[in-house]
Amino acid sequence: AIQMTQSPSSLSASVGDRVTVTCRASQGIRNDLGWYQQKPGKAPKLLIYAASSLQSGVPLRFSGSGSGTNFTLTISSLQPEDFATYYCLQDYNYPWTFGQGTKVEIK
Amino acid sequence: EVQLVESGGDLVQPGRSLRLSCVASGFTFDTYAMHWVRQAPGKGLEWVSSISWNSGTIRYADSVKGRFTISRDNAKNSLYLQMNSLRSEDMALYYCAALGSDYWGQGTLVSVSS
């Protein structure tokens, strides 16, 4: 199974900060990667699909990049509603695998 | 309005079985691949299983292969997960999802304890 290594596991940031989360795949997965946001008690929400395509309705401050084994989720200017846990998911081949998550907390 | 409503979660003893159900509405269920994703308390997300629109392709995580069976009934807009030989590590909130369109249910809780 493809391993997805996500970093950091947590970070503290302030409103307005630029935030970057990375995911590394144990083998090449082309651009078959999505990024999800999950808030406490809620189902995950898709932010980015195909590594860099913004899901409809998602604010433009979210962006994704990368291909092959290295991927990045960037929040250009952190907003209060962005404090949450973020996960990557590879759908290149089965079994699909999530990264272990990055919790973004308020500094 | 898209809805996915899971049910069937319960407290069961290790080694016992449980069947989860998910009823879909608001979209053409019989054209979508469907998935089960779980989340242990305080832990991350784990993809569990998927089934294609016509049940022709089924996949499982290694952690559940041979113990869990996914199925669907398109006539009833329903997805199922038969879970046998349950272990403590199967304890989680189980989500039904159409990942391709980012449709998720609210989850149903499975607790495994003696």
Side-chain angles (χ1 to χ4, degrees):
Chain A
I2 296 174
Q3 307 298 318
M4 301 302 296
T5 303
Q6 195 172 330
S7 62
S9 56
S10 66
L11 64 90
S12 295
S14 301
V15 172
D17 283 354
R18 182 182 181 88
V19 168
T20 298
V21 179
T22 64
C23 245
R24 177 170 294 178
S26 60
Q27 68 182 72
I29 59 170
R30 301 182 309 194
N31 68 337
D32 295 332
L33 182 115
W35 288 98
Y36 289 81
Q37 177 193 66
Q38 187 181 32
K39 296 181 178 179
K42 301 292 187 181
K45 171 188 171 184
L46 180 66
L47 302 174
I48 302 287
Y49 64 94
S52 60
S53 296
L54 193 68
Q55 176 74 347
S56 176
V58 173
L60 293 174
R61 62 182 180 273
F62 290 94
S63 65
S65 65
S67 67
T69 59
N70 293 306
F71 302 87
T72 300
L73 171 70
T74 300
I75 309 172
S76 61
S77 178
L78 197 66
Q79 298 301 300
E81 59 268 31
D82 300 337
F83 292 96
T85 301
Y86 294 84
Y87 297 91
C88 61
L89 169 67
Q90 71 80 17
D91 60 357
Y92 174 72
N93 67 11
Y94 288 103
W96 291 7
T97 42
F98 286 93
Q100 65 266 48
T102 295
K103 187 173 184 179
V104 176
E105 299 175 302
I106 302 172
K107 181 184 282 185
Chain B
E1 180 194 6
V2 170
Q3 279 199 307
L4 290 168
V5 180
E6 302 96 334
S7 62
D10 203 351
L11 170 61
V12 296
Q13 294 178 326
R16 304 299 292 263
S17 299
L18 204 58
R19 190 195 197 204
L20 305 184
S21 299
C22 170
V23 178
S25 60
F27 66 104
T28 49
F29 177 78
D30 60 3
T31 66
Y32 281 74
M34 296 296 297
H35 304 258
W36 289 99
V37 174
R38 69 184 181 183
Q39 187 167 35
K43 302 297 184 182
L45 300 169
E46 181 184 13
W47 175 86
V48 173
S49 182
S50 72
I51 186 168
S52 62
W53 66 276
N54 64 351
S55 303
T57 300
I58 288 174
R59 296 285 188 262
Y60 298 99
D62 291 343
S63 58
V64 307
K65 198 175 296 183
R67 299 187 299 122
F68 289 11
T69 302
I70 192 172
S71 62
R72 65 190 297 162
D73 184 338
N74 287 341
K76 296 182 178 179
N77 282 358
S78 293
L79 176 72
Y80 307 101
L81 187 67
Q82 177 67 40
M83 303 186 296
N84 298 333
S85 303
L86 281 161
R87 305 168 179 168
S88 57
E89 55 263 37
D90 296 319
M91 183 163 59
L93 185 66
Y94 284 73
Y95 291 104
C96 158
L99 293 179
S101 291
D102 199 32
Y103 301 153
W104 294 74
Q106 82 290 347
T108 187
L109 186 61
V110 173
S111 297
V112 183
S113 175
S114 54

Tab-separated table of all heavy atoms in Angstrom, chain B residues 61-88:
chain	number	residue	atom	x	y	z
B	61	ALA	N	-9.465	-2.059	2.385
B	61	ALA	CA	-8.212	-1.821	3.086
B	61	ALA	C	-7.684	-3.153	3.603
B	61	ALA	O	-8.470	-4.067	3.930
B	61	ALA	CB	-8.429	-0.863	4.248
B	62	ASP	N	-6.366	-3.272	3.699
B	62	ASP	CA	-5.774	-4.523	4.187
B	62	ASP	C	-6.263	-4.856	5.587
B	62	ASP	O	-6.398	-6.033	5.946
B	62	ASP	CB	-4.255	-4.410	4.182
B	62	ASP	CG	-3.676	-4.360	2.780
B	62	ASP	OD1	-4.390	-4.723	1.821
B	62	ASP	OD2	-2.509	-3.950	2.640
B	63	SER	N	-6.546	-3.819	6.378
B	63	SER	CA	-6.936	-4.016	7.776
B	63	SER	C	-8.297	-4.697	7.931
B	63	SER	O	-8.611	-5.206	9.017
B	63	SER	CB	-6.943	-2.676	8.506
B	63	SER	OG	-7.823	-1.768	7.871
B	64	VAL	N	-9.123	-4.701	6.880
B	64	VAL	CA	-10.469	-5.282	6.990
B	64	VAL	C	-10.707	-6.399	5.987
B	64	VAL	O	-11.762	-7.057	6.040
B	64	VAL	CB	-11.568	-4.197	6.833
B	64	VAL	CG1	-11.333	-3.046	7.810
B	64	VAL	CG2	-11.644	-3.704	5.400
B	65	LYS	N	-9.766	-6.612	5.086
B	65	LYS	CA	-9.949	-7.617	4.044
B	65	LYS	C	-10.182	-8.984	4.661
B	65	LYS	O	-9.485	-9.396	5.593
B	65	LYS	CB	-8.717	-7.629	3.139
B	65	LYS	CG	-8.921	-8.290	1.804
B	65	LYS	CD	-7.671	-8.139	0.939
B	65	LYS	CE	-7.377	-6.705	0.597
B	65	LYS	NZ	-6.202	-6.559	-0.299
B	66	GLY	N	-11.199	-9.667	4.148
B	66	GLY	CA	-11.539	-10.995	4.665
B	66	GLY	C	-12.512	-10.966	5.833
B	66	GLY	O	-13.063	-12.014	6.204
B	67	ARG	N	-12.731	-9.800	6.409
B	67	ARG	CA	-13.671	-9.684	7.541
B	67	ARG	C	-14.884	-8.818	7.192
B	67	ARG	O	-15.979	-9.047	7.708
B	67	ARG	CB	-12.959	-9.080	8.744
B	67	ARG	CG	-11.785	-9.891	9.261
B	67	ARG	CD	-11.242	-9.314	10.574
B	67	ARG	NE	-10.768	-7.941	10.416
B	67	ARG	CZ	-11.228	-6.905	11.120
B	67	ARG	NH1	-12.179	-7.074	12.023
B	67	ARG	NH2	-10.731	-5.683	10.929
B	68	PHE	N	-14.678	-7.816	6.356
B	68	PHE	CA	-15.756	-6.888	5.990
B	68	PHE	C	-16.194	-7.161	4.555
B	68	PHE	O	-15.374	-7.529	3.700
B	68	PHE	CB	-15.287	-5.441	6.092
B	68	PHE	CG	-15.059	-4.926	7.486
B	68	PHE	CD1	-15.037	-5.773	8.596
B	68	PHE	CD2	-14.869	-3.577	7.706
B	68	PHE	CE1	-14.832	-5.287	9.881
B	68	PHE	CE2	-14.654	-3.066	8.983
B	68	PHE	CZ	-14.631	-3.929	10.064
B	69	THR	N	-17.481	-6.932	4.295
B	69	THR	CA	-18.031	-7.071	2.948
B	69	THR	C	-18.897	-5.862	2.627
B	69	THR	O	-19.850	-5.556	3.366
B	69	THR	CB	-18.869	-8.346	2.818
B	69	THR	OG1	-18.064	-9.486	3.132
B	69	THR	CG2	-19.408	-8.490	1.402
B	70	ILE	N	-18.551	-5.192	1.561
B	70	ILE	CA	-19.338	-4.054	1.103
B	70	ILE	C	-20.325	-4.533	0.047
B	70	ILE	O	-20.030	-5.436	-0.732
B	70	ILE	CB	-18.423	-2.933	0.542
B	70	ILE	CG1	-19.187	-1.637	0.327
B	70	ILE	CG2	-17.717	-3.393	-0.728
B	70	ILE	CD1	-18.281	-0.446	-0.049
B	71	SER	N	-21.498	-3.931	0.028
B	71	SER	CA	-22.501	-4.260	-0.989
B	71	SER	C	-23.429	-3.069	-1.165
B	71	SER	O	-23.402	-2.120	-0.379
B	71	SER	CB	-23.289	-5.514	-0.609
B	71	SER	OG	-24.007	-5.299	0.600
B	72	ARG	N	-24.227	-3.136	-2.203
B	72	ARG	CA	-25.175	-2.055	-2.456
B	72	ARG	C	-26.433	-2.615	-3.103
B	72	ARG	O	-26.399	-3.679	-3.729
B	72	ARG	CB	-24.559	-0.973	-3.342
B	72	ARG	CG	-24.209	-1.420	-4.747
B	72	ARG	CD	-23.378	-0.363	-5.474
B	72	ARG	NE	-24.101	0.900	-5.648
B	72	ARG	CZ	-23.491	2.055	-5.928
B	72	ARG	NH1	-22.169	2.107	-6.029
B	72	ARG	NH2	-24.209	3.160	-6.087
B	73	ASP	N	-27.515	-1.886	-2.945
B	73	ASP	CA	-28.788	-2.206	-3.585
B	73	ASP	C	-29.265	-0.919	-4.252
B	73	ASP	O	-29.814	-0.033	-3.588
B	73	ASP	CB	-29.798	-2.708	-2.555
B	73	ASP	CG	-31.106	-3.156	-3.188
B	73	ASP	OD1	-31.416	-2.725	-4.316
B	73	ASP	OD2	-31.830	-3.923	-2.547
B	74	ASN	N	-29.031	-0.817	-5.544
B	74	ASN	CA	-29.364	0.427	-6.240
B	74	ASN	C	-30.871	0.679	-6.274
B	74	ASN	O	-31.303	1.832	-6.325
B	74	ASN	CB	-28.785	0.415	-7.652
B	74	ASN	CG	-27.272	0.598	-7.654
B	74	ASN	OD1	-26.683	1.068	-6.683
B	74	ASN	ND2	-26.637	0.216	-8.749
B	75	ALA	N	-31.650	-0.360	-6.243
B	75	ALA	CA	-33.107	-0.198	-6.232
B	75	ALA	C	-33.584	0.472	-4.948
B	75	ALA	O	-34.626	1.126	-4.927
B	75	ALA	CB	-33.798	-1.540	-6.415
B	76	LYS	N	-32.795	0.309	-3.889
B	76	LYS	CA	-33.144	0.900	-2.597
B	76	LYS	C	-32.254	2.091	-2.246
B	76	LYS	O	-32.327	2.608	-1.132
B	76	LYS	CB	-33.028	-0.155	-1.491
B	76	LYS	CG	-34.015	-1.302	-1.635
B	76	LYS	CD	-33.883	-2.279	-0.478
B	76	LYS	CE	-34.909	-3.395	-0.599
B	76	LYS	NZ	-34.791	-4.376	0.503
B	77	ASN	N	-31.406	2.514	-3.192
B	77	ASN	CA	-30.472	3.619	-2.935
B	77	ASN	C	-29.689	3.399	-1.644
B	77	ASN	O	-29.508	4.313	-0.832
B	77	ASN	CB	-31.225	4.960	-2.843
B	77	ASN	CG	-31.594	5.516	-4.203
B	77	ASN	OD1	-31.265	4.948	-5.238
B	77	ASN	ND2	-32.296	6.632	-4.206
B	78	SER	N	-29.222	2.188	-1.467
B	78	SER	CA	-28.603	1.817	-0.196
B	78	SER	C	-27.240	1.168	-0.364
B	78	SER	O	-27.006	0.418	-1.313
B	78	SER	CB	-29.520	0.863	0.580
B	78	SER	OG	-30.702	1.516	0.981
B	79	LEU	N	-26.383	1.474	0.589
B	79	LEU	CA	-25.033	0.925	0.682
B	79	LEU	C	-24.928	0.195	2.006
B	79	LEU	O	-25.517	0.633	3.009
B	79	LEU	CB	-24.016	2.061	0.623
B	79	LEU	CG	-22.532	1.707	0.795
B	79	LEU	CD1	-22.017	0.990	-0.447
B	79	LEU	CD2	-21.722	2.966	1.058
B	80	TYR	N	-24.171	-0.891	2.020
B	80	TYR	CA	-24.052	-1.697	3.242
B	80	TYR	C	-22.587	-2.025	3.530
B	80	TYR	O	-21.744	-2.025	2.630
B	80	TYR	CB	-24.836	-3.003	3.102
B	80	TYR	CG	-26.276	-2.807	2.703
B	80	TYR	CD1	-26.677	-3.010	1.384
B	80	TYR	CD2	-27.226	-2.407	3.642
B	80	TYR	CE1	-27.993	-2.811	1.008
B	80	TYR	CE2	-28.549	-2.211	3.270
B	80	TYR	CZ	-28.921	-2.408	1.952
B	80	TYR	OH	-30.235	-2.211	1.580
B	81	LEU	N	-22.318	-2.309	4.800
B	81	LEU	CA	-21.026	-2.832	5.207
B	81	LEU	C	-21.268	-3.910	6.243
B	81	LEU	O	-21.706	-3.614	7.364
B	81	LEU	CB	-20.120	-1.736	5.762
B	81	LEU	CG	-18.682	-2.184	6.043
B	81	LEU	CD1	-17.959	-2.513	4.734
B	81	LEU	CD2	-17.907	-1.109	6.810
B	82	GLN	N	-21.046	-5.152	5.847
B	82	GLN	CA	-21.140	-6.273	6.773
B	82	GLN	C	-19.786	-6.446	7.439
B	82	GLN	O	-18.780	-6.647	6.755
B	82	GLN	CB	-21.529	-7.556	6.031
B	82	GLN	CG	-21.569	-8.793	6.913
B	82	GLN	CD	-22.694	-8.741	7.939
B	82	GLN	OE1	-23.791	-8.305	7.643
B	82	GLN	NE2	-22.392	-9.183	9.152
B	83	MET	N	-19.760	-6.338	8.747
B	83	MET	CA	-18.507	-6.395	9.495
B	83	MET	C	-18.529	-7.627	10.393
B	83	MET	O	-19.367	-7.726	11.298
B	83	MET	CB	-18.344	-5.117	10.330
B	83	MET	CG	-18.388	-3.845	9.498
B	83	MET	SD	-18.029	-2.370	10.450
B	83	MET	CE	-19.397	-2.367	11.573
B	84	ASN	N	-17.640	-8.563	10.127
B	84	ASN	CA	-17.535	-9.790	10.920
B	84	ASN	C	-16.237	-9.798	11.711
B	84	ASN	O	-15.317	-9.037	11.416
B	84	ASN	CB	-17.585	-11.014	9.999
B	84	ASN	CG	-18.897	-11.120	9.246
B	84	ASN	OD1	-19.941	-10.644	9.694
B	84	ASN	ND2	-18.849	-11.740	8.075
B	85	SER	N	-16.184	-10.662	12.699
B	85	SER	CA	-14.972	-10.827	13.513
B	85	SER	C	-14.430	-9.477	13.976
B	85	SER	O	-13.248	-9.163	13.808
B	85	SER	CB	-13.904	-11.579	12.719
B	85	SER	OG	-14.384	-12.829	12.292
B	86	LEU	N	-15.304	-8.677	14.555
B	86	LEU	CA	-14.916	-7.326	14.948
B	86	LEU	C	-13.837	-7.340	16.024
B	86	LEU	O	-13.820	-8.200	16.904
B	86	LEU	CB	-16.142	-6.543	15.404
B	86	LEU	CG	-16.998	-6.006	14.245
B	86	LEU	CD1	-18.393	-5.651	14.717
B	86	LEU	CD2	-16.313	-4.815	13.589
B	87	ARG	N	-12.947	-6.368	15.912
B	87	ARG	CA	-11.831	-6.219	16.838
B	87	ARG	C	-11.923	-4.851	17.512
B	87	ARG	O	-12.596	-3.942	17.018
B	87	ARG	CB	-10.512	-6.321	16.073
B	87	ARG	CG	-10.346	-7.570	15.243
B	87	ARG	CD	-9.172	-7.437	14.305
B	87	ARG	NE	-8.966	-8.639	13.502
B	87	ARG	CZ	-8.153	-8.708	12.450
B	87	ARG	NH1	-7.470	-7.631	12.094
B	87	ARG	NH2	-8.027	-9.843	11.788
B	88	SER	N	-11.175	-4.696	18.574
B	88	SER	CA	-11.187	-3.408	19.274
B	88	SER	C	-10.713	-2.282	18.351
B	88	SER	O	-11.196	-1.144	18.448
B	88	SER	CB	-10.314	-3.467	20.525
B	88	SER	OG	-8.992	-3.846	20.190
